[in-house]
Protein backbone atom coordinates (compact mmCIF):
# COMPACT_ATOMS: atom_id res chain seq x y z
CA UNK A 1 0.00 0.00 0.00
CA UNK A 2 1.45 3.41 -0.97
CA UNK A 3 1.99 5.87 1.91
CA UNK A 4 -0.71 8.47 2.54
CA UNK A 5 -1.37 11.28 5.00
CA UNK A 6 -3.64 10.36 7.96
CA UNK A 7 -5.39 13.25 9.71
CA UNK A 8 -7.75 13.24 12.69
CA UNK A 9 -9.64 16.55 12.94
CA UNK A 10 -11.67 17.25 16.08
CA UNK A 11 -14.24 19.70 14.67
CA UNK A 12 -16.58 19.50 11.70
CA UNK A 13 -15.35 22.71 10.00
CA UNK A 14 -11.78 21.43 10.34
CA UNK A 15 -12.75 18.08 8.76
CA UNK A 16 -14.49 19.78 5.82
CA UNK A 17 -11.51 22.08 5.26
CA UNK A 18 -9.25 19.01 5.00
CA UNK A 19 -11.35 17.54 2.14
CA UNK A 20 -10.51 18.46 -1.44
CA UNK A 21 -13.18 18.86 -4.14
CA UNK A 22 -10.60 18.24 -6.88
CA UNK A 23 -8.64 15.27 -5.51
CA UNK A 24 -10.31 11.81 -5.52
CA UNK A 25 -7.38 10.58 -3.38
CA UNK A 26 -8.61 12.60 -0.39
CA UNK A 27 -11.32 10.66 1.44
CA UNK A 28 -13.21 11.02 4.71
CA UNK A 29 -13.56 7.77 6.66
CA UNK A 30 -15.99 6.76 9.39
CA UNK A 31 -15.01 3.20 10.30
CA UNK A 32 -12.85 2.81 7.16
CA UNK A 33 -14.28 -0.73 6.81
CA UNK A 34 -15.18 -0.23 3.14
CA UNK A 35 -12.27 2.06 2.27
CA UNK A 36 -9.63 -0.30 3.69
CA UNK A 37 -11.04 -3.22 1.66
CA UNK A 38 -10.75 -1.16 -1.52
CA UNK A 39 -7.24 -0.01 -0.65
CA UNK A 40 -6.08 -3.55 0.10
CA UNK A 41 -7.63 -4.73 -3.19
CA UNK A 42 -5.64 -2.02 -4.98
CA UNK A 43 -8.71 -0.29 -6.46
CA UNK A 44 -8.31 2.86 -4.34
CA UNK A 45 -5.15 4.77 -3.58
CA UNK A 46 -5.34 7.63 -1.10
CA UNK A 47 -3.23 10.74 -0.73
CA UNK A 48 -5.02 11.76 2.49
CA UNK A 49 -7.38 9.90 4.81
CA UNK A 50 -9.54 12.20 6.95
CA UNK A 51 -10.76 10.27 9.99
CA UNK A 52 -14.16 11.34 11.37
CA UNK A 53 -13.76 9.36 14.61
CA UNK A 54 -12.82 12.25 16.91
CA UNK A 55 -15.38 14.85 15.81
CA UNK A 56 -17.80 16.46 18.27
CA UNK A 57 -19.95 13.76 19.95
CA UNK A 58 -23.14 15.58 18.88
CA UNK A 59 -22.59 14.29 15.32
CA UNK A 60 -22.93 10.68 16.52
CA UNK A 61 -26.01 11.10 18.68
CA UNK A 62 -29.59 9.91 18.18
CA UNK A 63 -32.68 11.87 19.17
CA UNK A 64 -36.30 12.49 18.24
CA UNK A 65 -37.19 16.05 17.21
CA UNK A 66 -40.28 17.98 18.28
CA UNK A 67 -41.79 17.01 14.90
CA UNK A 68 -41.42 13.31 15.78
CA UNK A 69 -38.66 12.71 13.22
CA UNK A 70 -35.65 10.54 14.11
CA UNK A 71 -32.38 12.48 13.91
CA UNK A 72 -29.24 10.35 13.60
CA UNK A 73 -25.76 11.85 13.59
CA UNK A 74 -23.92 10.84 10.41
CA UNK A 75 -20.95 9.41 12.32
CA UNK A 76 -23.01 7.14 14.63
CA UNK A 77 -21.74 3.57 14.53
CA UNK A 78 -24.04 0.81 13.32
CA UNK A 79 -23.78 -0.99 16.69
CA UNK A 80 -24.75 2.15 18.66
CA UNK A 81 -27.88 2.37 16.48
CA UNK A 82 -28.62 -1.34 16.78
CA UNK A 83 -28.71 -0.91 20.59
CA UNK A 84 -30.47 2.46 20.68
CA UNK A 85 -33.74 2.33 22.72
CA UNK A 86 -34.97 5.39 20.81
CA UNK A 87 -34.63 3.61 17.46
CA UNK A 88 -36.12 0.36 18.82
CA UNK A 89 -39.11 2.23 20.25
CA UNK A 90 -40.19 4.14 17.16
CA UNK A 91 -38.44 2.48 14.20
CA UNK A 92 -38.28 -1.26 14.97
CA UNK A 93 -37.66 -2.07 11.30
CA UNK A 94 -34.32 -0.24 11.55
CA UNK A 95 -33.28 -2.12 14.70
CA UNK A 96 -34.12 -5.45 13.06
CA UNK A 97 -32.11 -4.50 9.95
CA UNK A 98 -29.01 -3.20 11.80
CA UNK A 99 -28.64 -6.63 13.43
CA UNK A 100 -28.21 -8.27 10.00
CA UNK A 101 -25.43 -6.02 8.73
CA UNK A 102 -22.12 -7.79 8.48
CA UNK A 103 -20.66 -8.92 11.82
CA UNK A 104 -20.33 -7.27 15.23
CA UNK A 105 -16.67 -6.32 14.67
CA UNK A 106 -17.58 -4.33 11.56
CA UNK A 107 -20.73 -2.83 13.14
CA UNK A 108 -18.72 -1.58 16.14
CA UNK A 109 -16.73 0.80 13.93
CA UNK A 110 -18.71 1.24 10.68
CA UNK A 111 -20.91 4.35 10.55
CA UNK A 112 -24.33 5.00 9.05
CA UNK A 113 -22.90 7.94 7.06
CA UNK A 114 -20.28 5.61 5.55
CA UNK A 115 -22.89 2.98 4.75
CA UNK A 116 -25.00 5.53 2.85
CA UNK A 117 -22.12 7.38 1.16
CA UNK A 118 -20.33 4.29 -0.18
CA UNK A 119 -22.79 3.76 -3.04
CA UNK A 120 -22.40 -0.03 -3.19
CA UNK A 121 -25.86 -1.24 -4.30
CA UNK A 122 -25.53 -4.23 -1.92
CA UNK A 123 -25.70 -2.03 1.19
CA UNK A 124 -28.78 -2.86 3.28
CA UNK A 125 -29.58 0.55 4.77
CA UNK A 126 -30.26 2.57 1.56
CA UNK A 127 -33.34 0.52 0.55
CA UNK A 128 -34.82 0.56 4.07
CA UNK A 129 -34.22 4.28 4.62
CA UNK A 130 -35.52 5.07 1.10
CA UNK A 131 -38.72 3.13 1.78
CA UNK A 132 -39.15 5.10 5.03
CA UNK A 133 -38.75 8.35 3.03
CA UNK A 134 -35.63 9.35 4.99
CA UNK A 135 -33.27 12.20 4.03
CA UNK A 136 -29.64 13.02 4.67
CA UNK A 137 -28.17 16.39 5.54
CA UNK A 138 -24.96 17.06 3.60
CA UNK A 139 -22.58 19.62 5.06
CA UNK A 140 -19.88 21.27 2.95
CA UNK A 141 -18.02 24.58 2.67
CA UNK A 142 -21.19 26.34 1.45
CA UNK A 143 -23.34 25.06 4.34
CA UNK A 144 -26.04 22.39 4.50
CA UNK A 145 -28.34 20.84 1.92
CA UNK A 146 -30.89 18.07 2.30
CA UNK A 147 -31.25 15.15 -0.11
CA UNK A 148 -33.68 12.22 0.05
CA UNK A 149 -31.82 8.93 0.55
CA UNK A 150 -33.68 7.68 -2.52
CA UNK A 151 -32.05 10.46 -4.60
CA UNK A 152 -28.51 9.96 -3.30
CA UNK A 153 -27.54 7.35 -5.88
CA UNK A 154 -26.84 8.09 -9.53
CA UNK A 155 -25.28 4.74 -10.51
CA UNK A 156 -23.00 1.91 -9.45
CA UNK A 157 -20.89 3.32 -6.57
CA UNK A 158 -21.96 6.81 -7.69
CA UNK A 159 -23.71 9.35 -5.48
CA UNK A 160 -24.56 13.06 -5.46
CA UNK A 161 -22.31 13.59 -2.40
CA UNK A 162 -19.57 16.04 -3.42
CA UNK A 163 -15.94 15.31 -2.51
CA UNK A 164 -15.93 18.11 0.07
CA UNK A 165 -19.28 17.24 1.64
CA UNK A 166 -20.07 14.99 4.58
CA UNK A 167 -23.28 13.20 5.53
CA UNK A 168 -23.74 14.79 8.95
CA UNK A 169 -27.34 13.81 9.74
CA UNK A 170 -29.97 11.29 8.72
CA UNK A 171 -33.59 12.31 9.27
CA UNK A 172 -36.28 9.63 9.31
CA UNK A 173 -40.00 10.48 9.42
CA UNK A 174 -42.00 8.65 12.10
CA UNK A 175 -42.70 5.01 11.24
CA UNK A 176 -45.87 5.46 13.30
CA UNK A 177 -48.44 2.83 12.51
CA UNK A 178 -46.98 2.01 9.13
CA UNK A 179 -46.15 -1.65 8.65
CA UNK A 180 -42.52 -2.11 7.70
CA UNK A 181 -40.08 -4.90 6.96
CA UNK A 182 -36.76 -5.51 5.27
CA UNK A 183 -36.13 -8.90 3.77
CA UNK A 184 -32.47 -9.65 3.25
CA UNK A 185 -32.01 -12.69 1.02
CA UNK A 186 -28.53 -14.15 1.30
CA UNK A 187 -27.01 -17.22 -0.26
CA UNK A 188 -24.62 -17.83 2.64
CA UNK A 189 -24.78 -16.70 6.33
CA UNK A 190 -27.78 -14.58 7.40
CA UNK A 191 -25.60 -11.49 7.92
CA UNK A 192 -23.72 -11.86 4.62
CA UNK A 193 -24.10 -9.47 1.71
CA UNK A 194 -27.57 -9.77 0.19
CA UNK A 195 -28.28 -11.40 -3.16
CA UNK A 196 -31.48 -9.37 -2.94
CA UNK A 197 -32.85 -6.85 -0.45
CA UNK A 198 -36.54 -5.90 -0.36
CA UNK A 199 -37.76 -3.02 1.83
CA UNK A 200 -41.49 -2.58 2.37
CA UNK A 201 -43.43 0.18 4.12
CA UNK A 202 -47.22 -0.10 4.03
CA UNK A 203 -49.88 2.34 5.08
CA UNK A 204 -53.02 0.26 5.66
CA UNK A 205 -56.67 1.28 5.95
CA UNK A 206 -58.20 -1.81 7.51
CA UNK A 207 -57.42 -4.66 5.14
CA UNK A 208 -56.70 -2.39 2.17
CA UNK A 209 -53.44 -0.77 1.17
CA UNK A 210 -53.60 3.02 1.36
CA UNK A 211 -50.04 3.45 0.15
CA UNK A 212 -47.03 1.23 -0.44
CA UNK A 213 -43.33 2.11 -0.56
CA UNK A 214 -41.31 -0.75 -2.08
CA UNK A 215 -37.55 -0.53 -2.70
CA UNK A 216 -35.19 -3.20 -3.98
CA UNK A 217 -31.45 -3.38 -3.34
CA UNK A 218 -28.61 -5.63 -4.55
CA UNK A 219 -30.30 -6.41 -7.88
CA UNK A 220 -29.74 -3.21 -9.87
CA UNK A 221 -26.96 -0.59 -10.07
CA UNK A 222 -28.64 1.43 -7.28
CA UNK A 223 -31.61 0.99 -4.92
CA UNK A 224 -34.73 1.07 -7.09
CA UNK A 225 -38.39 1.83 -6.37
CA UNK A 226 -40.93 -0.72 -7.61
CA UNK A 227 -43.39 1.83 -8.99
CA UNK A 228 -45.51 -0.67 -10.95
CA UNK A 229 -46.01 -2.98 -7.95
CA UNK A 230 -46.75 0.01 -5.69
CA UNK A 231 -49.53 1.14 -8.05
CA UNK A 232 -50.90 -2.38 -8.25
CA UNK A 233 -51.27 -2.66 -4.45
CA UNK A 234 -52.86 0.75 -3.87
CA UNK A 235 -56.49 0.48 -2.74
CA UNK A 236 -56.43 -3.33 -2.79
CA UNK A 237 -56.65 -6.08 -0.17
CA UNK A 238 -53.53 -8.23 0.12
CA UNK A 239 -54.55 -11.56 -1.40
CA UNK A 240 -52.05 -14.26 -2.41
CA UNK A 241 -53.06 -13.67 -6.02
CA UNK A 242 -52.31 -9.93 -5.79
CA UNK A 243 -48.93 -10.55 -4.15
CA UNK A 244 -47.99 -13.01 -6.90
CA UNK A 245 -49.02 -10.48 -9.55
CA UNK A 246 -47.03 -7.73 -7.79
CA UNK A 247 -43.93 -9.99 -7.70
CA UNK A 248 -44.29 -10.76 -11.42
CA UNK A 249 -44.71 -7.08 -12.23
CA UNK A 250 -41.62 -6.13 -10.15
CA UNK A 251 -39.54 -8.77 -11.94
CA UNK A 252 -40.73 -7.36 -15.29
CA UNK A 253 -40.07 -3.71 -14.33
CA UNK A 254 -36.45 -4.09 -13.20
CA UNK A 255 -33.40 -4.43 -15.37
CA UNK A 256 -31.70 -6.85 -12.97
CA UNK A 257 -27.91 -7.27 -12.93
CA UNK A 258 -26.22 -10.55 -11.93
CA UNK A 259 -23.17 -10.62 -9.62
CA UNK A 260 -21.16 -12.96 -7.37
CA UNK A 261 -24.29 -13.55 -5.25
CA UNK A 262 -26.48 -14.76 -8.10
CA UNK A 263 -27.25 -14.51 -11.81
CA UNK A 264 -29.79 -12.00 -13.13
CA UNK A 265 -32.26 -14.86 -13.77
CA UNK A 266 -31.85 -16.15 -10.19
CA UNK A 267 -32.36 -12.68 -8.69
CA UNK A 268 -35.44 -12.15 -10.87
CA UNK A 269 -36.95 -15.34 -9.48
CA UNK A 270 -36.00 -14.29 -5.92
CA UNK A 271 -37.78 -10.97 -6.45
CA UNK A 272 -40.91 -12.70 -7.79
CA UNK A 273 -41.11 -14.79 -4.62
CA UNK A 274 -39.69 -12.48 -1.95
CA UNK A 275 -41.68 -9.34 -2.67
CA UNK A 276 -44.84 -11.06 -1.44
CA UNK A 277 -42.97 -12.60 1.52
CA UNK A 278 -41.59 -9.19 2.53
CA UNK A 279 -45.09 -7.70 2.41
CA UNK A 280 -46.44 -10.53 4.58
CA UNK A 281 -43.48 -10.02 6.96
CA UNK A 282 -44.34 -6.32 7.29
CA UNK A 283 -47.94 -7.13 8.18
CA UNK A 284 -46.86 -9.82 10.68
CA UNK A 285 -44.30 -7.52 12.34
CA UNK A 286 -46.96 -4.92 12.98
CA UNK A 287 -48.99 -7.53 14.90
CA UNK A 288 -46.25 -7.77 17.50
CA UNK A 289 -46.05 -5.48 20.56
CA UNK A 290 -42.88 -3.81 19.32
CA UNK A 291 -44.87 -2.10 16.59
CA UNK A 292 -47.98 -1.21 18.57
C1 LIG B 1 -16.82 -8.19 6.02
C2 LIG B 1 -17.85 -7.13 5.74
C3 LIG B 1 -19.18 -7.50 5.52
C4 LIG B 1 -20.16 -6.53 5.28
N1 LIG B 1 -21.48 -6.89 5.11
C5 LIG B 1 -22.42 -5.93 4.94
C6 LIG B 1 -23.80 -6.25 4.78
O1 LIG B 1 -24.20 -7.40 4.81
N2 LIG B 1 -24.68 -5.24 4.58
C7 LIG B 1 -24.29 -3.93 4.54
O2 LIG B 1 -25.13 -3.05 4.37
N3 LIG B 1 -23.00 -3.61 4.68
C8 LIG B 1 -22.08 -4.58 4.88
N4 LIG B 1 -20.77 -4.23 5.02
C9 LIG B 1 -20.41 -2.87 4.78
C10 LIG B 1 -20.36 -2.07 6.00
O3 LIG B 1 -21.65 -1.87 6.50
C11 LIG B 1 -19.75 -0.82 5.45
O4 LIG B 1 -18.38 -1.09 5.20
C12 LIG B 1 -19.91 0.31 6.36
O5 LIG B 1 -21.24 0.61 6.65
C13 LIG B 1 -19.25 1.54 5.82
O6 LIG B 1 -19.11 2.35 6.94
P1 LIG B 1 -17.71 2.97 7.30
O7 LIG B 1 -18.00 4.01 8.30
O8 LIG B 1 -16.70 1.95 7.67
O9 LIG B 1 -17.35 3.61 5.88
P2 LIG B 1 -15.92 4.00 5.31
O10 LIG B 1 -15.20 2.79 4.85
O11 LIG B 1 -15.25 4.86 6.33
O12 LIG B 1 -16.37 4.88 4.09
C14 LIG B 1 -17.10 4.37 3.00
C15 LIG B 1 -17.26 5.47 1.95
O13 LIG B 1 -18.06 6.52 2.45
C16 LIG B 1 -17.31 7.75 2.54
N5 LIG B 1 -17.74 8.33 3.81
C17 LIG B 1 -17.61 7.78 5.04
N6 LIG B 1 -18.27 8.51 5.94
C18 LIG B 1 -18.81 9.55 5.26
C19 LIG B 1 -19.64 10.64 5.66
N7 LIG B 1 -20.07 10.81 6.91
N8 LIG B 1 -20.01 11.51 4.69
C20 LIG B 1 -19.63 11.35 3.41
N9 LIG B 1 -18.86 10.33 2.98
C21 LIG B 1 -18.47 9.44 3.91
C22 LIG B 1 -15.87 7.34 2.43
O14 LIG B 1 -15.07 8.37 1.88
C23 LIG B 1 -15.95 6.15 1.52
O15 LIG B 1 -16.11 6.56 0.19
C24 LIG B 1 -19.78 -5.17 5.24
C25 LIG B 1 -18.43 -4.81 5.44
C26 LIG B 1 -17.48 -5.76 5.68
C27 LIG B 1 -16.05 -5.34 5.90
Amino acid sequence: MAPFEFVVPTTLPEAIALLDPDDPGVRPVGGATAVMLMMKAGVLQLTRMVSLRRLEAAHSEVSVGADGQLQIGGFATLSSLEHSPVVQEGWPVLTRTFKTLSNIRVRNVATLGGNLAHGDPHMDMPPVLSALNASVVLTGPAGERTVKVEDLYTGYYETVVKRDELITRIVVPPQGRQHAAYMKVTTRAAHDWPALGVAVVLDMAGDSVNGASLIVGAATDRPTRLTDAEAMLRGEALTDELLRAAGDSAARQLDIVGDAHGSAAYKKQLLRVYLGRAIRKAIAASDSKEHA
Side-chain angles (χ1 to χ4, degrees):
M1 206 182 285
F4 57 90
E5 186 188 0
F6 180 64
V7 287
V8 190
T10 52
T11 67
L12 186 59
E14 200 190 330
I16 290 168
L18 284 162
L19 301 175
D20 187 335
D22 303 317
D23 184 353
V26 175
R27 288 284 185 110
V29 293
T33 57
V35 165
M36 286 308 293
L37 283 184
M38 291 198 300
M39 290 175 75
K40 284 183 186 164
V43 294
L44 176 67
Q45 199 170 330
L46 294 195
T47 50
R48 179 189 294 156
M49 182 185 278
V50 181
S51 169
L52 307 172
R53 295 299 297 281
R54 298 277 176 263
L55 297 188
E56 301 96 329
H59 298 300
S60 305
E61 284 168 3
V62 180
S63 63
V64 179
D67 55 2
Q69 302 204 88
L70 179 65
Q71 309 271 342
I72 302 175
F75 316 131
T77 62
L78 299 176
S79 64
S80 73
L81 297 170
E82 172 189 348
H83 296 109
S84 161
V86 171
V87 177
Q88 166 76 57
E89 174 71 23
W91 293 264
V93 66
L94 292 181
T95 304
R96 289 195 297 268
T97 306
F98 284 129
K99 290 184 200 303
T100 71
L101 262 62
S102 181
N103 58 60
I104 188 75
R105 295 178 303 284
V106 171
R107 297 202 295 273
N108 276 344
V109 291
T111 61
L112 185 55
N115 192 279
L116 295 178
H118 194 44
D120 180 341
H122 297 90
M123 294 291 191
D124 290 300
M125 296 319 296
V128 187
L129 288 166
S130 298
L132 286 168
N133 197 27
S135 304
V136 295
V137 175
L138 297 170
T139 309
E144 291 187 347
R145 64 186 177 114
T146 301
V147 177
K148 295 253 186 226
V149 173
E150 187 175 353
D151 298 330
L152 265 182
Y153 306 99
T154 52
Y156 192 67
Y157 282 87
E158 285 175 11
T159 72
V160 300
V161 184
K162 296 183 187 144
R163 288 200 186 106
D164 57 354
E165 282 182 324
L166 292 172
I167 295 179
T168 47
R169 203 158 69 247
I170 297 95
V171 181
V172 194
Q175 187 183 325
R177 300 200 71 80
Q178 295 179 109
H179 303 212
Y182 177 64
M183 198 135 215
K184 173 168 175 158
V185 188
T186 66
T187 49
R188 289 174 285 202
H191 58 263
D192 200 356
W193 291 102
L196 180 80
V198 184
V200 172
V201 177
L202 296 174
D203 177 22
M204 299 294 290
D207 288 338
S208 300
V209 178
N210 228 357
S213 181
L214 310 173
I215 308 276
V216 162
T220 47
D221 67 345
R222 69 194 96 165
T224 306
R225 183 172 289 280
L226 299 173
T227 47
D228 294 354
E230 285 178 354
M232 199 173 253
L233 297 184
R234 212 166 294 131
E236 302 292 332
L238 293 173
T239 60
D240 288 344
E241 196 185 1
L242 178 66
L243 295 186
R244 259 196 306 277
D248 286 344
S249 131
R252 267 196 311 275
Q253 183 198 327
L254 290 197
D255 194 6
I256 292 179
V257 188
D259 57 28
H261 306 279
S263 66
Y266 176 64
K267 287 178 185 239
K268 203 172 262 280
Q269 183 58 16
L270 287 181
L271 180 57
R272 259 192 208 106
V273 173
Y274 277 92
L275 178 62
R277 289 190 189 174
I279 290 169
R280 290 281 185 226
K281 184 177 170 186
I283 297 291
S286 63
D287 292 335
S288 69
K289 269 214 160 56
E290 69 177 346
H291 196 94

